[in-house]
Amino acid sequence: MTASVIDGKAIAEEVISKVKSATAGIQEKAGVQPGIAVVIVGSDPASQVYVRSKGKRAKECGFKSETHELPETTSQQELLDLVGRLNADPSIHGILVQLPLPSQIDEDAVITSILPEKDVDGFHPINVGRLGTGQIDSAMLPCTPAGSMVLIRKALGKADLSGLNAVVVGRSNIVGKPMANLLLAANATVTIAHSRTADLPSIARTADILVAAVGRPEMIGADCIKPGACVIDVGINRVPAPEKGEGKTRLVGDVNYAQAAEIAGSITPVPGGVGPMTIAMLMANTLVSACRTAGLEPPQF
Ligand code: GUN
């Protein structure tokens, strides 16, 4: 069997199109333009690339977009003051503080200082709690797991996962735990596996839906895949690629794609799978926040 490829790039474009048309709609109906503020502290090159592409996407969607670039030496209080100003700014519906932050700043304190309704990352404990208690309609959902759910619904052609076994490999606050909660809210039977799990392959092989979010290049091999499974690879790992020339690298996921694609029913590639969905869902979250503020029903993604 050769798995069908889940085209995250194309599905992300569909999400962006929906955001664009809904943005035009709320501007016409309520005179509201969604606004997003992205804050970056320091000059980590990878973070700067992400932040630039977020700004570009936001403009493309018709949003107001601000980027705040603060020096590496910024104090926690200075950052909290900026978040306070953005919280109070009615033209800003989404605030994202790019992580990681320099060591003098307590990330939890910053995340908790963002108003939950403007927390488009879905990292605030209020949003984590809403997701955990199944209050999906009032929560802000973290972008990578929410994007992965869009891919799963597309691949399986249904939103109700009753009767299906899902295994999430990885227990991070950003991906593993919220992913498990989203799958549970969709009625899947969910197992979370992690680095201390005994006999991972035998657990992974129970999965009709397997989500890999461990950050270890190609660790999920053929022995982890149930025939016909839907495989979602959240990993983005840069590894040496001497075959491309000295010092060259390539991106691989947490799944050994060549092995898994022989057995799975559907699978996300890396790159071009989950990656493009993350920014698309950030735009979707910002639109949802603007709709809620304006008292309008947000579109479903
Ligand atoms: N750094 C890497 N990924 C993310 C993300 O999704 N949100 C934020 N705020 N920072 C990140």
Side-chain angles (χ1 to χ4, degrees):
M1 176 171 204
T2 301
S4 64
V5 180
I6 304 170
D7 187 346
K9 226 173 138 186
I11 298 168
E13 288 305 328
E14 287 173 23
V15 170
I16 294 283
S17 292
K18 211 164 171 180
V19 172
K20 274 187 204 166
S21 60
T23 297
I26 67 164
Q27 207 145 15
E28 200 179 290
K29 260 189 255 158
V32 174
Q33 180 187 28
I36 182 167
V38 176
V39 181
I40 177 169
V41 184
S43 52
D44 173 55
S47 293
Q48 284 182 326
V49 170
Y50 286 132
V51 165
R52 252 177 245 130
S53 56
K54 284 167 187 166
K56 208 172 124 224
R57 277 300 205 182
K59 292 228 168 76
E60 197 188 320
C61 289
F63 293 178
K64 171 182 168 171
S65 168
E66 295 180 359
T67 303
H68 297 262
E69 296 188 45
L70 306 182
E72 184 80 29
T73 52
T74 300
S75 70
Q76 177 160 323
Q77 195 54 51
E78 284 167 327
L79 181 54
L80 292 175
D81 289 346
L82 172 59
V83 171
R85 289 197 295 280
L86 295 170
N87 278 340
D89 182 343
S91 74
I92 295 297
H93 304 93
I95 302 169
L96 179 141
V97 179
Q98 185 69 24
L99 305 176
L101 290 167
S103 57
Q104 74 275 15
I105 301 177
D106 174 357
E107 284 185 359
D108 285 337
V110 174
I111 290 167
T112 312
S113 75
I114 298 170
L115 277 178
E117 58 268 34
K118 295 192 179 190
D119 166 40
V120 281
D121 260 328
F123 294 166
H124 192 291
I126 292 272
N127 286 316
V128 176
R130 283 178 178 148
L131 169 57
T133 53
Q135 300 171 68
I136 306 274
D137 290 343
S138 61
M140 272 291 158
L141 303 177
C143 301
T144 300
S148 300
M149 287 303 293
V150 173
L151 298 182
I152 291 166
R153 288 196 290 267
K154 279 268 178 187
L156 301 183
K158 58 184 176 184
D160 185 345
L161 307 179
S162 294
L164 297 178
N165 293 331
V167 174
V168 180
V169 189
R171 54 174 160 176
S172 70
N173 290 331
I174 292 182
V175 183
K177 286 180 204 164
M179 189 74 230
N181 270 325
L182 282 168
L183 288 160
L184 191 59
N187 299 320
T189 302
V190 182
T191 302
I192 304 179
H194 49 79
S195 55
R196 307 292 177 94
T197 295
D199 196 2
L200 173 65
S202 74
I203 290 174
R205 277 197 311 274
T206 66
D208 302 299
I209 300 162
L210 181 64
V211 181
V214 269
R216 286 182 53 193
E218 299 182 317
M219 78 162 279
I220 304 292
D223 59 347
C224 291
I225 312 292
K226 176 178 178 174
C230 171
V231 177
I232 304 292
D233 190 352
V234 181
I236 301 178
N237 309 289
R238 198 164 275 288
V239 297
E243 72 280 6
K244 286 167 66 179
E246 202 188 309
K248 298 278 187 199
T249 60
R250 65 191 172 98
L251 289 180
V252 298
D254 292 346
V255 175
N256 183 319
Y257 185 87
Q259 288 182 14
E262 289 294 313
I263 307 166
S266 53
I267 185 166
T268 60
V270 176
V274 174
M277 293 303 290
T278 299
I279 291 184
M281 296 314 287
L282 178 68
M283 301 303 129
N285 274 351
T286 306
L287 170 74
V288 166
S289 172
C291 289
R292 287 177 183 163
T293 306
L296 299 168
E297 188 64 32
Q300 298 276 326
F301 289 94

